[in-house]
Amino acid sequence: MTKTPTSRIDRLLGSMGYGSRAEMSRMAKAGGIVLDGADLTDVSKRIPVTPDLPTRMEIDGEPLDPVPGLVLMLNKPLGMTCSHKEEGALVYDILPDRWRRRDPAISTIGRLDKQTSGLLLLTDDGDLLHRVISPKRHVAKVYRAGLARPLTGTEGDLFAAGELVLEGEDKPLAPARLEVVTPTEALLTVTEGRYHQVRRMFAAVGNHVETLHRERMGGLVLPPDLAPGEWRLLAPEEVASIFGETAGG
């Protein structure tokens, strides 16, 4: 049986980005930390770190952030970069300030380039991150591509054959599924995450992607009411749904 980890409250809250130990001590003395309905004044106390802790603890009147493990879905806007270090607007700028101080750090699960919008997952759970991006998992990703030129009708068979080799590479792509929406718009389902893969696939057949938007990862679909730049935390069953559909599903 796995032993439940414990942590000092000030250390736990510090790792979640709420502040230093001294700041947590001052907050507690001011009545800002509540555990199981009672003010908590001794932040040196050790408590079990369990998933139900956010239902039992409040910080400044708000429920504690998820612990252990935070997973969120963001509708990534155009013009933002999935990086901690690059110049310009970053997807992390959208998140609460304290989340950028979490340890382990929050990272994107895979990336969308600056000119691609749509479904982006972020987490501080390294095991989950690696499971989602692992080639062995075959997590399907669905992109809506707006194209510069009309489709010829041959792209679907070529992408599905699993024989297309991208420029500069020597390993063929895994089979991908193309669904034609209009002559210049298509849904493409891929299970890999090669560099600029969707753009390069259409370039390989003499076309150019003008707009690109990710709509789905596995069985998780970007909801229509989540506007660009908005995010929400995922429930455990939603996280599980990521592994619920493959490219053939």
Side-chain angles (χ1 to χ4, degrees):
M1 186 174 181
T2 304
K3 186 177 180 180
T4 301
T6 64
S7 174
R8 281 179 50 133
I9 294 171
D10 53 2
R11 182 174 297 168
L12 173 65
L13 296 180
S15 71
M16 296 173 70
Y18 282 102
S20 67
R21 291 189 187 184
E23 289 170 334
M24 293 301 94
S25 180
R26 288 195 293 270
M27 180 183 290
K29 290 175 181 177
I33 303 177
V34 174
L35 179 63
D36 293 329
D39 289 345
L40 188 141
T41 57
D42 182 9
V43 291
S44 67
K45 177 181 176 182
R46 297 189 71 89
I47 58 172
V49 182
T50 55
D52 69 340
L53 202 52
T55 67
R56 300 172 46 219
M57 181 178 285
E58 292 184 357
I59 308 295
D60 273 347
E62 297 292 333
L64 184 73
D65 291 335
V67 58
L70 179 151
V71 188
L72 64 102
M73 172 171 52
L74 167 70
N75 187 349
K76 177 191 171 296
L78 294 173
M80 303 198 87
T81 303
C82 299
S83 169
H84 284 285
K85 299 178 180 179
E86 293 186 31
E87 297 292 330
L90 309 179
V91 294
Y92 302 100
D93 297 337
I94 296 173
L95 306 180
D97 286 343
R98 66 178 179 275
W99 287 8
R100 285 181 275 173
R101 299 191 294 268
R102 281 179 75 111
D103 182 17
I106 294 177
S107 299
T108 62
I109 300 180
R111 292 190 173 192
L112 294 178
D113 67 49
K114 195 171 184 179
Q115 297 309 317
T116 300
S117 60
L119 175 54
L120 182 67
L121 301 179
L122 299 95
T123 187
D124 62 351
D125 183 339
D127 289 339
L128 174 66
L129 188 154
H130 291 296
R131 280 192 292 134
V132 175
I133 66 175
S134 170
K136 296 179 181 180
R137 290 283 180 166
H138 304 292
V139 173
K141 297 167 282 286
V142 181
Y143 295 84
R144 183 177 294 270
L147 305 168
R149 289 174 284 280
L151 294 159
T152 65
T154 62
E155 297 89 352
D157 289 342
L158 176 61
F159 293 166
E163 299 174 355
L164 178 63
V165 178
L166 296 176
E167 184 177 354
E169 299 189 10
D170 53 19
K171 181 181 177 182
L173 294 171
R177 185 172 74 239
L178 182 74
E179 178 185 343
V180 177
V181 179
T182 72
T184 56
E185 185 178 53
L187 295 175
L188 183 63
T189 303
V190 300
T191 57
E192 299 174 289
R194 302 198 201 184
Y195 181 72
H196 288 174
Q197 180 174 339
V198 174
R199 298 181 187 277
R200 294 167 68 202
M201 287 175 70
F202 282 107
V205 295
N207 215 323
H208 174 73
V209 174
E210 294 189 324
T211 62
L212 193 60
H213 181 80
R214 185 157 67 191
E215 297 187 346
R216 176 190 289 263
M217 291 184 69
L220 186 64
V221 179
L222 184 68
D225 60 348
L226 193 68
E230 292 184 347
W231 57 267
R232 67 173 176 82
L233 295 170
L234 295 183
E237 59 271 19
E238 291 178 304
V239 175
S241 76
I242 297 168
F243 304 100
E245 184 168 321
T246 63

